[in-house]
Amino acid sequence: MATIIVVTSGKGGVGKTTTSASVSTGLAKRGFKTAVIDFDVGLRNLDLVMGCERRVVYDFVNVIQNEALLKQALIRDKHCDNLFILPASQTRDKEALSKEGVGRVLDELRDSFDYIVCDSPAGIEQGALMALYFADEAFIVTNPEVSSVRDSDRILGILQARSKRAETGSTPIKEHLLVTRYSPRRVEAGEMLSLKDVQDLLGIPLIGVIPESEVVLQASNSGVPVIHFDQSPSGQAYDDVVARFLGESRPMRFLEPERKNFLRRLFGT
Amino acid sequence: MNLLDYFLSKRKKSAVVAKERLQIILARERVDRSGPDYLPALKREILEVVAKYVSIDVEQVQVHLQREGNCEILELNISLPEPPPASTNQPMGHSAAN
Ligand SMILES: Nc1ncnc2c1ncn2[C@@H]1O[C@H](COP(=O)(O)OP(=O)(O)OP(=O)(O)O)[C@@H](O)[C@H]1O
Ligand SMILES: [Mg+2]
């Protein structure tokens, strides 16, 4: 029985797709059979970030509307054998994601996968609501910035009131705060909310911090999830996130401006 | 003091301002969410009534909803402005027209 994880945020452009790609890859690399689904109907992007855009034949909506079988639509990742991508439709509208349809596809996936990662679109409309509705766990992707924090709080309210778990009164969705695009230098200068500020404001357990990094753009340029860049801080930070998600305890890193890291490395502390 | 001086001088760090603003707005939005559906509309209508008589600043309004056992207490706290000093002849119709 698979665990369903939603990657959500409310606000757009904060790093949900980047996170979905890397977290699903990280889970698959550790041997779990994983599917990652793009819920951003009309604005498909996950395929590009995962580097499988030219192999898309059928999509999520085709499966929901019985125009294709699930196994025809799933694309096997080129790096990990046990990772599969279900792309969003580029031509339909968000209303095509009916609760029944999405539920049926997730049920079918649940039997043969360990994890299902749902990449939510921005906003709080149908696509976003369906991405979170069936979730067991949620990654709340938040940038240290006022509108992102506010939207994350809003999404938390929706997870707690309008998900299936909330509606049926079962154990609430497990929430994980993921702070991304974090710039220790700007935090130090007092120009950016600190990690502690964001934690204080949102009040949910922290699963990781991804530093602002140029490598993320290089990764998406080349269609390789940034977690594969295992020499880069952002890649390593995503690897930490996956390890913590699976129960390992790893200290937070990349919270200090670069120079300090450099000195530390120099003195071997 | 011009604007540039203001930004270059002993201003509060912007991250501190951001946190303070978020603390207030999140608290308010959580109250709206946790309360009954009619709460935002109720609040708005009460404000409209009050605004007919005195000019109030929406920032000076606090709403608390508390649950005690099976009883809910809605507390509305509105700070009324100081009465205008006698010398200024503020037209009273102004706030009601807004
Ligand atoms: N840690 C990071 N450092 C630098 N750039 C980043 C980081 N994370 C994400 N980005 C960049 O931010 C942009 C948006 O990222 P992404 O597409 O993952 O966000 P999203 O939340 O999925 O957006 P949308 O709401 O549009 O779906 C991309 O250009 C990505 O390269
Ligand atoms: Mg996205």
Side-chain angles (χ1 to χ4, degrees), chain A residues 9 11-19 40 119-122 180-181 210-213 216-217 220:
Chain A
S9 70
K11 187 169 160 60
V14 296
K16 293 178 294 294
T17 301
T18 304
T19 298
D40 208 342
D119 179 18
S120 174
T180 60
R181 310 201 68 163
I210 312 299
E212 171 77 21
S213 154
V216 175
L217 186 59
S220 70

Side-chain angles (χ1 to χ4, degrees), chain A residues 142-190:
Chain A
T142 308
N143 292 169
E145 175 268 325
V146 282
S147 44
S148 175
V149 173
R150 181 201 215 167
D151 289 359
S152 290
D153 196 64
R154 185 91 196 275
I155 277 290
L156 285 170
I158 293 176
L159 286 171
Q160 291 156 12
R162 292 167 67 184
S163 61
K164 184 173 182 189
R165 283 175 173 269
E167 284 180 0
T168 57
S170 38
T171 347
I173 293 176
K174 192 165 175 200
E175 301 155 345
H176 307 277
L177 173 62
L178 180 64
V179 176
T180 60
R181 310 201 68 163
Y182 193 70
S183 169
R185 188 185 56 74
R186 306 194 69 189
V187 171
E188 197 179 71

Side-chain angles (χ1 to χ4, degrees), chain A residues 3 22 37 52 64 75-76 90 130 134 145 179 193 206 211-212 214 216 221 236 260:
Chain A
T3 299
S22 280
I37 308 179
C52 66
I64 287 177
I75 303 169
R76 188 188 289 267
Q90 200 56 314
M130 285 306 106
F134 297 95
E145 175 268 325
V179 176
L193 289 166
L206 178 75
E212 171 77 21
E214 289 163 16
V216 175
N221 281 343
Q236 293 170 358
K260 289 197 182 152

Side-chain angles (χ1 to χ4, degrees), chain A residues 215-249:
Chain A
V215 180
V216 175
L217 186 59
Q218 291 168 23
S220 70
N221 281 343
S222 47
V224 177
V226 71
I227 195 169
H228 285 298
F229 292 66
D230 52 13
Q231 299 303 306
S232 78
S234 42
Q236 293 170 358
Y238 272 117
D239 190 66
D240 287 351
V241 166
V242 174
R244 288 188 201 107
F245 181 78
L246 295 171
E248 242 177 84
S249 85

Side-chain angles (χ1 to χ4, degrees), chain A residues 150 153 190 197 200-201, chain B residues 13-15 19 29-30 33:
Chain A
R150 181 201 215 167
D153 196 64
D197 292 339
D200 287 352
L201 288 160
Chain B
K13 294 279 199 232
S14 68
K19 186 175 188 187
E29 290 177 345
R30 283 171 191 158
R33 272 209 305 268

